[in-house]
Amino acid sequence: MDIQREKKIIPLWRKYWYVPVVLMLAFATYKLKSVMGDASFIVKQNELVTAVVEQGRFQVNVRATGVLKPVYIRWVSAQVSGRVEQAFVKAGAHVIKGQMLMQLSNPELHRELEKARWEFEAKKAENYAAYITLESQLLDLENSVVEADYSYQISKLKLDAETQLIAQKNATVSALDYQHSQLAVKQQNQYWLSQKQKVEKMKASLLASKTAQQARLGLVENNYQRIKDQVDALAVKATTNGVVQQISLALGEQVQVGGSVALIADQRSLFAELQVQENKVSDIALGQTVVVDTRSNKIFGKVIRIDPAVNKGMVQIDVQLNSELPNDARPDLTVDGLIEVSDIADTLYVQRPVFAPRYSDAGLYKLINDKKFAQKQKVKLGQSSVNQIQILSGLAVGDEIIISDTTSWQEHQEVMIN
């Protein structure tokens, strides 16, 4: 016999339990939609940095760092080798040209100087003795000329007398004696002329000998003077006025010829060496105004040189300082430079957002709905300054944008600000 089972009735709330859940989710979605609008991401307000678009004068500046360098700088080098015996100045000392910086010692040089001095004195004495000998010989020849002249005059007087006697037909003078007297006059005259020629030759020889002796003496004297100058160079002196920037040697150290001893700079004439990023150099030109900040004073100058080479992503810019130097200006002082590239009279600009390169199209978030939301806006950017950038299109005066980092939610077109 079959037993008929009683059919259980399932309550409606169990059968349609999901309906309230769906309704609640739909209501929650509606509420969330009414609160967030079209926003698909929520950001915290305290994590945002914003800026307002302004209009007016826009100065394009390039910021750079660098150091002050002296225009006139001089390395003082050792002219001779030696060991540092005494130092008279330290770094920072003001010196004048010719002031003693350091005393070197070199005993070998002193010995060479003494030897060269004696050689010079001996050569002078030898030359003097040679001059005396040659002049004595010249004097003897000149005396011979005088004697030959006397003999010639006597012979001529005798011939003249005999000529008169012969003319008077005086038999006391024979024809043979008269001829002998004529030959004697010719002989004495020839002797006298030859002696005069010897004197002239001797004078020329004496002059040539003096010249040769003087040349040889000059060589010895030059050697002596050279060693003397080397000994004098052991006293290292300042070659210009200025401030000692660096002393390269300590007491007892050995220095070779040409070795650096000190660095002297003129602190009254300085210029700035600024390092500019290579991607910003294209805007810089000669003559542009530069404001150099020493962190306590400002100095005005202008660009006078742009290095053609790039070194580690930086390009060196030399700046001539035109205004009076402050008391804190000194070589190797770290400074900041602001190079004025251009000046736009009227344009839109805003504080520069993160990751917003110049001359580019960027997606920037503009605050809307009482700053409760931020909507992504396509903005065309122009020139950039140190902390500002030009707005060419996409924004208007008074618009407020987010300038802090938005890379983590760039894919969202609109965000809610919590």
Side-chain angles (χ1 to χ4, degrees), residues 162-208:
E162 290 179 349
T163 302
Q164 291 179 1
L165 291 175
I166 290 176
Q168 296 173 2
K169 296 181 179 182
N170 193 329
T172 56
V173 179
S174 65
L176 182 61
D177 291 337
Y178 182 69
Q179 290 179 358
H180 183 272
S181 297
Q182 286 180 327
L183 291 174
V185 169
K186 289 181 180 181
Q187 182 182 13
Q188 293 298 327
N189 182 52
Q190 188 65 35
Y191 179 70
W192 173 58
L193 292 175
S194 64
Q195 291 298 104
K196 286 178 64 176
Q197 289 178 355
K198 283 185 178 181
V199 169
E200 295 301 324
K201 294 288 185 181
M202 188 63 184
K203 286 181 178 180
S205 176
L206 178 61
L207 180 60

Side-chain angles (χ1 to χ4, degrees), residues 83-90 101-104 247-254:
R83 191 175 299 279
V84 180
E85 188 176 77
Q86 191 174 3
F88 299 98
V89 297
K90 295 181 179 180
L101 301 178
M102 194 170 291
Q103 180 65 51
L104 306 178
I247 294 293
S248 306
L249 299 172
L251 289 176
E253 285 188 340
Q254 184 76 25

Side-chain angles (χ1 to χ4, degrees), residues 258-407:
S260 61
V261 176
L263 179 65
I264 301 176
D266 184 1
Q267 287 190 305
R268 297 171 300 177
S269 300
L270 301 176
F271 73 99
E273 283 185 357
L274 302 180
Q275 301 296 326
V276 179
Q277 295 179 4
E278 59 181 331
N279 59 347
K280 295 183 179 180
V281 174
S282 58
D283 294 332
I284 299 176
L286 298 179
Q288 289 176 342
T289 302
V290 183
V291 179
V292 178
D293 188 359
T294 65
R295 294 174 176 79
S296 58
N297 292 283
K298 295 186 184 301
I299 312 171
F300 294 92
K302 67 177 181 179
V303 177
I304 59 173
R305 191 183 77 92
I306 303 173
D307 199 314
V310 178
N311 185 14
K312 297 180 180 178
M314 307 297 285
V315 176
Q316 181 176 306
I317 305 295
D318 290 350
V319 178
Q320 175 184 310
L321 304 179
N322 297 327
S323 55
E324 184 177 353
L325 296 179
N327 293 331
D328 62 332
R330 53 183 34 86
D332 296 325
L333 176 69
T334 302
V335 295
D336 293 325
L338 200 64
I339 305 172
E340 298 180 4
V341 174
S342 62
D343 192 351
I344 304 174
D346 186 24
T347 190
L348 296 178
Y349 63 91
V350 71
Q351 189 173 345
R352 189 170 185 174
V354 177
F355 305 118
R358 60 180 182 168
Y359 301 116
S360 65
D361 294 329
L364 302 180
Y365 287 90
K366 182 177 73 172
L367 302 187
I368 59 175
N369 296 341
D370 296 329
K371 303 181 182 179
K372 295 180 181 178
F373 295 88
Q375 189 176 56
K376 195 173 185 180
Q377 194 87 4
K378 185 177 180 180
V379 180
K380 189 174 184 179
L381 303 175
Q383 296 190 50
S384 64
S385 184
V386 176
N387 53 10
Q388 294 176 329
I389 194 165
Q390 183 186 19
I391 305 296
L392 297 179
S393 63
L395 294 173
V397 178
D399 288 346
E400 188 172 359
I401 64 171
I402 298 174
I403 62 173
S404 53
D405 188 7
T406 62
T407 53

Side-chain angles (χ1 to χ4, degrees), residues 58-130:
F58 180 64
Q59 288 184 320
V60 181
N61 299 324
V62 175
R63 186 178 295 278
T65 59
V67 293
L68 296 182
K69 290 290 185 180
V71 177
Y72 305 107
I73 189 168
R74 185 73 61 85
W75 273 107
V76 180
S77 59
Q79 303 301 310
V80 293
S81 61
R83 191 175 299 279
V84 180
E85 188 176 77
Q86 191 174 3
F88 299 98
V89 297
K90 295 181 179 180
H94 290 261
V95 296
I96 60 175
K97 185 176 181 179
Q99 181 176 339
M100 182 86 77
L101 301 178
M102 194 170 291
Q103 180 65 51
L104 306 178
S105 65
N106 189 329
E108 183 64 28
L109 266 184
H110 286 282
R111 287 192 292 269
E112 289 183 9
L113 176 63
E114 189 66 16
K115 178 182 177 182
R117 186 178 70 83
W118 281 112
E119 288 180 353
F120 178 54
E121 294 295 334
K123 194 62 180 176
K124 282 200 301 184
E126 290 176 2
N127 280 6
Y128 181 73

